Amino acid sequence: TDNFTVGASLGLSSKPLEFHANLIISIANAAGAFISCAGGQILEQALFQGIAPILAGLAFLYLAYDEFTTPPPKKQGPEVNTLDNTSCVNIMKLAIPMTLNNLAGGVAGGAAGVKPILSGVMAFIASFAMMKLGYKLGIHLGPTLREKVDTHFISSCIFGSLALFSFAGFTA
């Protein structure tokens, strides 16, 4: 669900989701799923169960703050956001918390006997497809919503919600 909501957030804010950005994020998610699944129960008990949700939550809180404090774009067209949103740094700002947020699921899958390669491939497919679907929905709804509300505020709320869900995973 975080891939879908992040994609929708980008679309609502009229920020591009370039193919290579979605590909890098999906590869990071697949690698995280593969590695965490391979670790299985050992990693679940020793590291990721407690630390990953906290790190993901902090990263999503930063993204919420960053989105909330971003001034509204000037009326120069969508190319205003294109350059900075597709940089490697900004792609990794999204990829890292999303990957951390999925580690616990990979560990649980590994502990349940799921093969790491299957976990990685399925994470890649789900990540890529859900982010693109969320983005398409955000782009579609964005023009209508921008007339009524500040879409940066909505995006900030989405990232803030993801942070809260990450922290809730820590306390569960």
Side-chain angles (χ1 to χ4, degrees):
T1 58
D2 57 343
N3 294 80
F4 179 82
T5 55
V6 169
S9 177
L10 291 173
L12 286 171
S13 297
S14 295
K15 293 180 179 175
L17 175 61
E18 300 290 337
F19 176 82
H20 75 277
N22 196 4
L23 183 66
I24 291 168
I25 292 167
S26 298
I27 289 170
N29 280 310
F34 178 85
I35 291 167
S36 63
C37 189
Q41 199 161 17
I42 295 168
L43 291 178
E44 180 182 22
Q45 294 171 358
L47 177 63
F48 293 120
Q49 194 66 23
I51 294 175
I54 294 171
L55 294 176
L58 290 173
F60 280 127
L61 273 179
Y62 169 76
L63 290 171
Y65 170 78
D66 188 50
E67 190 67 32
F68 185 73
T69 59
T70 299
K74 294 180 176 61
K75 300 288 182 188
Q76 295 176 2
E79 69 278 353
V80 171
N81 288 321
T82 301
L83 196 59
D84 68 340
N85 195 52
T86 59
S87 73
C88 188
V89 170
N90 286 328
I91 292 170
M92 295 315 291
K93 276 185 184 178
L94 292 174
I96 290 171
M98 292 168 70
T99 300
L100 288 171
N101 203 32
N102 294 324
L103 288 180
V107 170
V114 174
K115 301 283 185 223
I117 190 71
L118 178 63
S119 178
V121 169
M122 298 311 284
F124 176 83
I125 292 169
S127 174
F128 194 89
M130 293 306 289
M131 192 149 183
K132 188 67 170 177
L133 183 64
Y135 181 73
K136 291 283 188 187
L137 180 66
I139 285 291
H140 180 72
L141 294 176
T144 304
L145 287 176
R146 274 191 289 283
E147 294 174 7
K148 298 175 181 12
V149 296
D150 179 8
T151 54
H152 285 286
F153 178 74
I154 293 172
S155 294
S156 179
C157 290
I158 289 171
F159 285 127
S161 297
L162 288 172
L164 291 176
F165 285 126
S166 295
F167 290 136
F170 169 70
T171 59

